[in-house]
Amino acid sequence: MAASSSSTVFSIFQNMEYGPAAASSCATAQAWLDHHSRSLGLFIDGEFVRAADRQTRSLTDSKGGNVCSLVCAAEDDVSQCAASAVTGQRAWSGMTCYNRAKVLLRLVSVLGQHTQCVSELCELCEASCSSSTLVRLLQYYSSWAQLRDTLITSWTPLGVVAVVVSDDCSLYSLMLKVLPALAMGNAVIVVPGQSSAPPALLLAQLFTCAGLPAGALNVLTGSDTLLGAKVAQNPSIGYVSYCGNKQDGVMLCKATAGMGVPVSVFPCIGATCPFIIFESADIDSAVDGVIEAAFKKKKEVHWVLCVQESVVDGVVARLRVRMAGRKCVALPSEADRVLVEAAVQEAQQQGAKLVQSCAAPPSGDLYPPTVLCGAAPSSPFVVNPSPGPLLPLMTFRSNTEAVTLGNHSPHGLAASIWTEDLTLALETAKSLSVGSVWVNSHSVSDPCLPVSGHKDSGTCTDGGQEGLYQFLRPPCSSSPLPRSTPVAMDYTKFGTAASPKIIPDDSDAASAPKSYLQFVGGKACKSESGCSVAVQPPGGGSVLAYCPDGGRKDVRNAVEAAIKVQPGWMKKSPSARAQSLYSLAKGLESKRRDVAASISVHTALSAGEAEKEADLSIARLSDWAAYCDKVQGATLPMPQSGSALSIPEALGVVGIVLPDKNPLLSMVTLLGAAVATGNAVIMVPSQKYPLAALAFVQVLQASDLPAGLVNVISGSRDQLTVALANHSVIKAVWYWGSAEGCQFLQYTCTNPLKTLQLVCQKVEEDGGRDWTQSHPSLLEEMWRNAVQWKSVWIPTA
């Protein structure tokens, strides 16, 4: 409605003014806070706990008024909480799937009784999440709690899971991790951010009222995200999942490195996302959409508007009309005003033209919505946008240019595409390296949609069935990392030890050890350094062979070859990839005797055992060939009208440091998983038993795999691990090695973020994975480790 009561319908449609905001009352939430004396304690073992000597942290609202104070947990609180969680998890996982589902459904009715209090508290704390959204989350995950043992057979809960979020993370993002963890039978320790802490404490209280066992859900509040590291240090914690801004996530990864607990990071705050408008779009709807998305009072991502040149004038004209008279947006702080003005000034110096809703106030923390027309993709205010209501606008001519602009950002969180051409929409969605794509819409969220950050936007998947597996352990998985205290390491010196020198001996040429070659870019070659390392039998003594001593330059060459061929390999049909893997299995069968002989000589296995491993390797490659076109994505049952797709995509380039155990069979298992799903691989053979992988080079040379898709580089494991960790193109590292190597990777692989699969070799040798078993969950686990998910939402009338 227009502001004036005498406005006519015609004037309202002419002005298109927004009506006044409804007056909000937070009386119920205020009463709940008053009941707790506006000082909220920790929630441990089903009740609020507050020690007298704890520090507190004040929470203020957007106007600077005091909301409440939060207790900062100490080490004693963490220990008490972890002990409670272990007991609670035992009781919670001991319940049947039906009874766990009943508890979650019971919470829906409890939430209905207190919906006003929850909604008001979320509004007061600016932790955006409506009660209807919470109800949808509970209904969705209660059904998965019911069906866990039916549809995800043999997988078991991890135990106690820590969920950590930053201060600027929404309550929805927090609950998107907490509820699936509970549904799968885990206990959860929540370390909320400042804004989401009061609603999280209220929900924990309601969970207990609904019948959740005491200790199954605990909430610890603190002064910063590093409280999550203190929680992770407790040996009872089996997994840490983080959501929020990247800076806090990186701090958490570095602080937990070496503790032996896996950490996943999903930096959903601050990512740059493309908003693409094609000439075939409904321009009016697209402009309304971009204004709604880009100029929110509290937005989690930064949008970049990409408009096709043929319609850019019309888009800008509509932006001027729709933005006229819009109020200024409050910045996070007055200090951010300097950053915003510097970005605007820089844009103008680079030739950008401004479209503003009104003149900027001379001072203060308010700034008008601003479009920066004519921005360049390399401009700092596009690559690293400042906080505030700024919207860079770039133009493109062709569909290919639109995809290039959309993929220009190091982030890969989400994209919005506007076009009435469905074929164009699907082709663009498939080509964009992002986890979520919305067609003719934006910011659509539902728990059935998998949310997976591509590139530097995350190392895990939340939502959907795909998001459940991070909270489950497969029946035949590798042993978890041993819990330990981080080793005092100089990370700059890891992997710098010199390789052993080779001294010439007096042996004649006929009995001289064989020299193997590595495999880079489709060619068998020596290392860039020209050096070799001696390979000795298990007992030491004589030299069996010489293998290349690869290093950083060899990894660089392999990555350059891999990134050229991987996009084309990923676009190949699954059946075409299957035929290449079948061909590789036949090639291995033709070299079976030679490969088995190298295994027998090097590992001291009998000839029969070596031949058995070769036969299992041939069968395993055939398994992966058959797997290529059998497991794909799905259509998702969204409550809204429309179509939703979940699509598994390749990670990109994967670095694999191979295990010592079953050197040939473990190699083809990991190689097949990566290649079958569309990845390129750089493999580092076992430093102890490298000959099986180097003998396999002959099979690769004779195969029809594209040159550069599979690379094999031998040498010092630690030195090559450093090269893989430091290369920005490599998306994932699968590592079997020392505890120090695991710690190094956890600390280093944060910029950009890499997906890590870490196994401590000592634990693996003491039991660990049995590579000879062909349990169905083995292939499923490997396949899920080798893909990342994309969801596409297409609305209908």
Side-chain angles (χ1 to χ4, degrees), residues 61-85:
D61 58 22
S62 58
K63 298 178 181 179
N66 181 60
V67 176
C68 65
S69 63
L70 302 169
V71 172
C72 296
E75 291 186 9
D76 291 344
D77 301 315
V78 172
S79 300
Q80 179 187 355
C81 180
S84 168

Side-chain angles (χ1 to χ4, degrees), residues 136-373:
R136 168 63 180 156
L137 283 166
L138 287 166
Q139 291 173 338
Y140 181 79
Y141 285 113
S142 65
S143 62
W144 271 115
Q146 172 81 45
L147 297 173
R148 189 199 73 182
D149 291 347
T150 304
L151 298 182
I152 314 178
T153 56
S154 302
W155 293 61
T156 55
L158 295 175
V160 181
V161 172
V163 175
V164 185
V165 299
S166 61
D167 286 344
D168 45 8
C169 187
S170 69
L171 182 65
Y172 177 81
S173 299
L174 171 63
M175 299 310 293
L176 195 59
K177 289 183 177 291
V178 171
L179 289 176
L182 287 172
M184 294 300 100
N186 300 281
V188 181
I189 297 176
V190 178
V191 182
Q194 189 175 21
S195 60
S196 59
L201 289 165
L202 173 58
L203 288 174
Q205 183 182 10
L206 296 181
F207 264 103
T208 303
C209 296
L212 188 73
L217 178 61
N218 298 315
V219 181
L220 293 178
T221 54
S223 57
D224 53 36
T225 312
L226 290 182
L227 174 60
K230 295 178 183 177
V231 173
Q233 196 170 7
N234 191 285
S236 303
I237 307 301
Y239 178 62
V240 177
S241 187
Y242 168 84
C243 186
N245 61 64
K246 186 185 174 183
Q247 295 82 358
D248 287 346
V250 169
M251 288 172 57
L252 182 64
C253 288
K254 292 182 181 294
T256 56
M259 292 181 182
V261 58
V263 179
S264 68
V265 177
F266 186 61
C268 62
I269 306 296
T272 301
C273 302
F275 195 105
I276 303 173
I277 301 178
F278 288 99
E279 61 185 2
S280 54
D282 177 349
I283 303 298
D284 289 314
S285 297
V287 169
D288 283 346
V290 73
I291 289 177
E292 181 183 353
F295 301 134
K296 288 181 180 178
K297 181 180 179 181
K298 185 178 181 180
K299 58 180 182 178
E300 294 186 346
V301 300
H302 300 283
W303 291 97
V304 174
L305 180 58
C306 306
V307 183
Q308 198 155 11
E309 280 188 356
S310 56
V311 294
V312 66
D313 291 339
V315 169
V316 172
R318 287 171 172 81
L319 282 171
R320 291 184 187 277
V321 173
R322 296 295 288 116
M323 289 174 59
R326 286 184 65 91
K327 296 180 180 179
C328 292
V329 177
L331 301 174
S333 66
E334 288 193 27
D336 292 322
R337 173 70 181 261
V338 178
L339 299 176
V340 172
E341 290 181 337
V344 171
Q345 185 178 2
E346 182 182 36
Q348 289 178 306
Q349 291 174 350
Q350 294 181 4
K353 297 180 180 179
L354 303 187
V355 175
Q356 289 184 318
S357 61
C358 59
S363 61
D365 62 350
L366 298 176
Y367 202 82
T370 302
V371 179
L372 307 174
C373 302

